[in-house]
Amino acid sequence: MLSRLGSLLQQAVETREPSVDLLEAFTEHWKGITGYYLEATDESVPARQTDIPWRLKQMLDILVYEEKQRPAGETGPCLEYLLQHKVLETLSTLGKAEYPPGMRQQVLLFFSRVLGQMQHPLLHYLNVHRPVQKLLQLSGDRLGSGTEKEEVQFAAILCTKIKQDPTLLAYILEGKSILNERRTQELPASPVEEGAEHPPGAATAAGSPRAEPSPPRRDSNLVTSLVGLCKSKKSRIALKARENLLLLVGLAQEAAAACLVWSSTLCRLLTEHLCDLYSAVPACTDPADVLTLERASWRTQGDAAGDGMFPGKESLAAFFSWLDYLDELVTGAHPVVADAITEAVEERFFHGILQPQLLQMSELAVLSATAMLTGTVRQIRASPLLHRLVLFLLGPDRHPETPADAPHPLRTQLINRCNHLSDEISLASLRLFEELLRKPHEHVAHSLALRNLEARGYLQRSPPMPDERGPPELDPDEDGLDLEEDPYFTDGFPDAGFGTAKKPLPGLAPSGKGQVSEVVSSFLCLVPEEAKTSSCMEEGSYDTYVHDALGMVQACRASTAPWGWPLAPRPLDACHPEEAFYEGHFLKVLFDRMSRILDQPYSLNLQVTSVLSRLAAFPHPHLHEYLLDPYLNLAPGCRSLFSVLVRVIGDLMQRLQRVPHFRAKLLLVRRQLMGLVPGEQMDHTMLFKGVVVLEEFCKELAAIALVKGPPEGPP
């Protein structure tokens, strides 16, 4: 008995079912589906409780089995039937009707499985890509719909097929005719007839659904479906949609990239959502909270808003997450697509949203807009997007500035705000520029500083003899500064208790360059010993400053390496300044702020010195010379960072001699800043905090000079 049964099973395995039986089974299942609409009486029965899912699965299995039994590229009778009788077209119509309930889900699954499991290229057929377009028109337009999972699977299959054959993109986006010349020989010999009949019973199905030709709508296609799914509240759905859109924009073929740009609303949809998310950030959001938010990642949608909630955090996280995604898109996209996205972001977001907000007069609005801009600068990394952002903020000009210049209104306004009457606005603006200086873009440093230092107009052209050198040249309005105001001279203060600061004896050549040790010593000795407090607190070791400076200088060198900056200053005989030296709008504001360090809030002073330290860390020889060389032979009317510091120290020495017990009070303020004692208001607190910042800044500059070493080459 067992042997007989085994032989029967073996015979069944070895016997091939005739192809006509496969076709008969395929058509029977299709008639069973269309027949449901004739016989069903209860319209509320879900599709999954009918035999429709089972019949669709059988049809799929037959198609896959038939393909495996035939030579590669040959079309079998069942596939011919599916194409000629517009089975997919009819299914897409039934899915659109959503009858029975849940039918759309079943149709999406069937389409995904057919396209994913069959090796034969199908999407070139009109009777395939037209119903595909119909389904796409239904996708991504209803956030939170019950078919999001199936929709994103369907879109993912299409993206995979397009990745394998980028010519398919035109069919999906534009609905091109059935064949193109390149694919003619690859398609089956039997043509697909548009006028082929529907399977029996389909025409009389419930509601008389017909698969009538419908031209694809340009405002609803694979791109709109993916962008819509990218906004899903379900993080896995949104992530999968974003990954597949990345795959799509990264197609290497230029024709596909051009098709994606010109035959879809990709750029508009992406930037509109960015603008909507920006506008959704509540006006009551604290600008300080914007900058405390960690850098967002598009892969961790919603996670950034989890811990440490504050008003507006969820909206902020959503905006910066989408901005990060656009940044990733631009990075990975074909240059044609990247340029188009970047142009759209510049036009719609930078100019359309940011610029009007940055130019308003309301202080609260300015604070909020500046904080959001700083966060935007921090978030952007893609080179094309960063380039547009930098030019948007600073303008394209590269020639030296003049005091009367104001060629770029936004740049002028942003720099002016670093010296605003409102300390909060000044602080926010300085943070913005520090963030800009962190970006790996050469135009930032050039626009803000280097453009004005190219001709080295700050140097005296006929330097005095070495024995005639005096203290660094001061501002033109500082010619009346007496010797007693120079921190290197304390003869005017016999009762102040000041010891003479140790001035290095450089023994320099007329070029003004000193040895590194002499430069370091100049900055370290600049603040008189009586005004120094860090050594008394057993903190602020100089080694710590050197370590921090090393990290900053190395980061600057790494980011500036591709820019081709010279190693040595431009020879003076090749420098021909056309006008009197002007340090430029940005450096002027920084120097002016630095000169008022004794009269400014502590946080503002920290930010001013932080920006100057970052500028000093750049490895350009002109910046190094102008900001870190204490022994420059300055031209009349010019000032350098060191000369500004000299002036501040002179002012400090005059003030401290008028403050009783200044040393004790200074030490108390230092302890308060360290959190060692409770903070309490006293006279001259702002002055003492300024002294603390001044001492720390001089250490920072000394450490940067030590790490960078001497500038190379001729003077």
Side-chain angles (χ1 to χ4, degrees):
M1 182 67 180
L2 289 175
S3 61
R4 185 179 179 185
L5 179 59
S7 62
L8 288 174
L9 289 172
Q10 182 67 26
Q11 183 181 0
V13 170
E14 294 176 352
T15 301
R16 287 191 176 183
E17 185 179 4
S19 60
V20 65
D21 293 340
L22 285 177
L23 179 59
E24 182 179 349
F26 188 82
T27 57
E28 283 301 317
H29 285 300
W30 178 235
K31 290 177 183 178
I33 292 174
T34 57
Y36 171 85
Y37 292 89
L38 296 174
E39 302 169 0
T41 56
D42 187 355
E43 297 184 359
S44 64
V45 177
R48 65 177 180 274
Q49 295 181 13
T50 69
D51 65 351
I52 291 177
W54 176 78
R55 291 190 178 279
L56 288 174
K57 179 66 167 62
Q58 299 305 308
M59 292 171 66
L60 171 68
D61 291 344
I62 291 172
L63 288 171
V64 173
Y65 177 80
E66 177 187 70
E67 183 178 56
K68 290 180 179 178
Q69 303 307 310
R70 293 183 169 274
E74 183 178 318
T75 307
C78 297
L79 180 57
E80 287 282 359
Y81 183 92
L82 178 133
L83 295 172
Q84 293 180 2
H85 292 79
K86 301 183 180 179
V87 172
L88 297 180
E89 193 100 29
T90 303
L91 281 173
S92 68
T93 302
L94 297 176
K96 180 178 181 180
E98 187 64 350
Y99 174 69
M103 186 61 183
R104 183 176 301 174
Q105 183 182 41
Q106 301 302 323
V107 171
L108 285 166
L109 284 172
F110 181 72
F111 271 62
S112 298
R113 290 165 178 168
V114 168
L115 294 174
Q117 295 183 32
M118 295 197 66
Q119 303 302 312
H120 192 88
L122 297 175
L123 285 168
H124 297 83
Y125 291 97
L126 179 64
N127 286 346
V128 175
H129 68 247
R130 184 166 57 187
V132 163
Q133 292 159 358
K134 270 189 177 182
L135 282 183
L136 289 171
Q137 290 174 11
L138 306 176
S139 303
D141 57 352
R142 304 166 320 285
L143 290 183
S145 70
T147 60
E148 279 189 337
K149 180 180 178 181
E150 290 73 25
E151 289 172 13
V152 79
Q153 289 175 346
F154 179 48
I157 289 293
L158 293 176
C159 290
T160 300
K161 293 294 180 181
I162 292 170
K163 181 72 173 178
Q164 295 168 356
D165 182 2
T167 62
L168 291 174
L169 184 62
Y171 292 86
I172 304 303
L173 292 183
E174 297 181 338
K176 286 188 174 180
S177 59
I178 202 174
L179 304 174
N180 65 17
E181 296 179 1
R182 195 177 76 78
R183 299 289 299 177
T184 299
Q185 298 180 353
E186 299 177 25
L187 296 175
S190 55
V192 179
E193 300 176 1
E194 282 194 47
E197 297 179 356
H198 291 280
T204 56
S208 299
R210 294 182 56 85
E212 299 176 354
S214 58
R217 291 160 41 195
R218 284 184 176 272
D219 61 344
S220 186
N221 52 32
L222 178 59
V223 168
T224 57
S225 174
L226 281 172
V227 174
L229 290 166
C230 285
K231 307 173 189 177
S232 173
K233 300 300 182 183
K234 301 174 183 177
S235 58
R236 290 186 179 181
I237 300 292
L239 179 61
K240 190 166 185 177
R242 293 178 182 190
E243 288 173 341
N244 280 279
L245 188 55
L246 271 171
L247 183 148
L248 208 58
V249 301
L251 294 173
Q253 288 75 5
E254 186 164 349
C259 178
L260 195 59
V261 170
W262 299 111
S263 300
S264 75
T265 53
L266 173 68
C267 301
R268 178 176 62 81
L269 291 172
L270 294 173
T271 51
E272 279 183 355
H273 189 49
L274 181 71
C275 296
D276 290 343
L277 290 173
Y278 183 93
S279 301
V281 176
C284 63
T285 303
D286 189 339
D289 289 334
V290 176
L291 300 180
T292 61
L293 197 67
E294 292 186 4
R295 192 180 186 280
S297 170
W298 63 273
R299 292 187 178 274
T300 56
Q301 182 188 19
D303 294 353
D307 300 327
M309 289 297 295
F310 56 78
K313 183 172 185 179
E314 188 174 349
S315 299
L316 281 173
F319 167 73
F320 286 119
S321 173
W322 187 253
L323 179 60
D324 186 57
Y325 180 61
L326 293 193
D327 191 71
E328 184 77 12
L329 280 177
V330 171
T331 300
H334 186 284
V336 171
V337 181
D339 287 345
I341 295 175
T342 301
E343 184 177 350
V345 171
E346 179 185 24
E347 177 184 346
R348 294 175 179 270
F349 181 57
F350 294 167
H351 289 283
I353 300 292
L354 284 181
Q355 182 163 301
Q357 292 210 350
L358 289 167
L359 294 178
Q360 27 184 353
M361 302 304 293
S362 164
E363 289 192 3
L364 289 177
V366 167
L367 277 173
S368 178
T370 304
M372 290 295 290
L373 175 58
T374 304
T376 299
V377 171
R378 179 180 59 186
Q379 195 71 42
I380 289 177
R381 292 177 177 174
S383 295
L385 208 52
L386 178 60
H387 180 69
R388 298 270 184 145
L389 177 62
V390 167
L391 293 185
F392 161 70
L393 295 175
L394 303 180
D397 296 317
R398 295 180 67 84
H399 57 78
E401 296 176 80
T402 62
D405 272 350
H408 194 267
L410 184 55
R411 177 186 187 272
T412 303
Q413 184 81 293
L414 293 175
I415 293 177
N416 280 339
R417 285 181 182 156
C418 294
N419 206 13
H420 199 274
L421 290 175
S422 164
D423 292 333
E424 287 185 323
I425 290 180
S426 296
L427 184 59
S429 302
L430 287 164
R431 284 176 179 155
L432 167 64
F433 280 102
E434 182 175 21
E435 201 64 53
L436 270 173
L437 288 166
R438 294 177 187 272
K439 307 309 289 187
H441 198 291
E442 184 271 347
H443 189 66
V444 177
H446 187 90
S447 174
L448 295 178
L450 283 172
R451 62 197 284 194
N452 305 302
L453 307 180
E454 285 182 334
R456 300 175 74 191
Y458 47 85
L459 291 178
Q460 174 68 267
R461 294 293 152 163
S462 53
M465 296 301 292
D467 58 346
E468 295 176 344
R469 284 176 55 94
E473 195 73 35
L474 302 177
D475 286 333
D477 58 341
E478 296 171 355
D479 294 338
L481 182 64
D482 295 329
L483 262 186
E484 61 203 30
E485 293 177 284
D486 190 314
Y488 293 133
F489 298 90
T490 57
D491 297 343
F493 312 106
D495 301 323
F498 286 100
T500 305
K502 297 180 180 178
K503 179 181 178 181
L505 301 175
L508 298 173
S511 65
K513 290 183 182 177
Q515 298 297 323
V516 173
S517 60
E518 296 165 351
V519 172
V520 170
S521 178
S522 295
F523 282 109
L524 291 179
C525 296
L526 194 53
V527 178
E529 292 297 326
E530 289 72 16
K532 294 180 179 178
T533 53
S534 59
S535 58
C536 302
M537 299 292 103
E538 297 183 356
E539 62 96 24
S541 167
Y542 183 59
D543 291 342
T544 303
Y545 291 90
V546 174
H547 179 271
D548 294 343
L550 181 61
M552 183 162 59
V553 169
Q554 287 178 339
C556 286
R557 284 174 176 166
S559 65
T560 60
W563 301 347
W565 276 356
L567 296 177
R570 187 178 176 187
L572 277 177
D573 55 7
C575 298
H576 305 289
E578 296 181 1
E579 299 182 9
F581 174 71
Y582 174 54
E583 59 219 0
H585 194 181
F586 187 61
L587 283 177
K588 180 182 185 304
V589 167
L590 290 181
F591 285 179
D592 289 348
R593 274 291 182 191
M594 196 66 214
S595 67
R596 299 198 300 273
I597 192 172
L598 303 179
D599 301 296
Q600 295 173 155
Y602 179 69
S603 58
L604 185 56
N605 284 337
L606 288 177
Q607 193 59 54
V608 172
T609 56
S610 180
V611 174
L612 282 167
S613 294
R614 183 153 295 277
L615 276 172
F618 278 111
H620 195 287
H622 294 170
L623 273 174
H624 182 100
E625 178 179 66
Y626 189 59
L627 298 179
L628 292 177
D629 189 347
Y631 306 115
L632 289 181
N633 295 316
L634 290 172
C638 297
R639 59 179 177 172
S640 67
L641 177 56
F642 192 80
S643 75
V644 172
L645 292 174
V646 167
R647 174 64 177 174
V648 171
I649 295 298
D651 185 23
L652 168 65
M653 293 169 66
Q654 284 189 337
R655 293 196 193 189
L656 291 187
Q657 68 168 339
R658 297 193 292 265
V659 178
H661 312 293
F662 79 90
R663 178 72 177 169
K665 293 179 179 178
L666 182 58
L667 288 170
L668 177 60
V669 169
R670 165 73 81 163
R671 292 191 182 96
Q672 291 175 351
L673 292 174
M674 295 172 59
L676 300 178
V677 296
E680 60 182 49
Q681 280 299 112
M682 67 173 75
D683 293 338
H684 311 294
T685 297
M686 184 176 289
L687 169 65
F688 291 130
K689 288 183 178 180
V691 175
V692 171
V693 174
L694 188 59
E695 180 187 358
E696 303 304 308
F697 182 48
C698 289
K699 285 186 177 181
E700 288 177 11
L701 294 177
I704 293 172
L706 178 65
V707 169
K708 291 179 70 177
E712 302 180 25

